[in-house]
Every structure is written in structure tokens, then in C-alpha cells.
Amino acid sequence: TDCPTRWGTLFTAIERLNEQEKEIRKVFSADYKASDKVLCYDSLSTIKTVGRVLQPFCRLTDKLSGSYLSKS
């Protein structure tokens, strides 16, 4: 289930989808029965926009959580 306070996980999934988009399309296009399951251009465009909006928040959250801070 989706948790409103764990949006960073959503960002990570969106980022991975964007990275693998070409490969995902190849797999779905090779299987005729699955070809109708590929996201349409509008959906992918919306997902990419959401990813661009979430990216600065994810970076800031990482910095504030100390994941980029050096341990002394």
C-alpha cells in the first residue's frame, strides 16, 4: 500500500521506470498480448513530470537525514 509519508519510495520507482523505459517497451512490444499494457505517452509524460517535481525534495530529504553527512 502507498504511504503518504514514504514518497521517496515513489520517487525511486519513478526514477527506475525512467531509466528502464526503453527496455520495458522492448519487452512489451515483443509480447503481442502484453502490448496493450504499455503506458501511453501521456502517462509517461506525467510520470516524468512528477519525478522532476519530487527530485529536489528527495535530495533535500537525503541531506537533512544525514545520508550525505560525513561521520566524524
Side-chain angles (χ1 to χ4, degrees):
T1 47
D2 193 26
C3 178
T5 60
R6 300 293 297 168
W7 59 266
T9 305
L10 173 65
F11 172 74
T12 303
I14 288 172
E15 197 172 49
R16 186 72 175 144
L17 176 69
N18 287 333
E19 290 171 3
Q20 298 299 318
E21 180 183 348
K22 288 181 183 177
E23 289 76 12
I24 292 168
R25 287 190 177 279
K26 285 179 191 176
V27 169
F28 278 104
S29 66
D31 183 355
Y32 178 74
K33 292 179 185 176
S35 63
D36 64 329
K37 309 258 187 288
V38 178
L39 293 171
C40 68
Y41 176 79
D42 289 340
S43 295
L44 282 171
S45 178
T46 300
I47 289 169
K48 288 178 181 186
T49 299
V50 170
R52 284 192 299 272
V53 169
L54 290 177
Q55 186 176 32
F57 295 104
C58 188
R59 288 183 179 165
L60 179 61
T61 300
D62 285 345
K63 286 181 181 179
L64 292 175
S65 68
S67 60
Y68 288 111
L69 297 177
S70 62
K71 309 271 181 193
S72 30

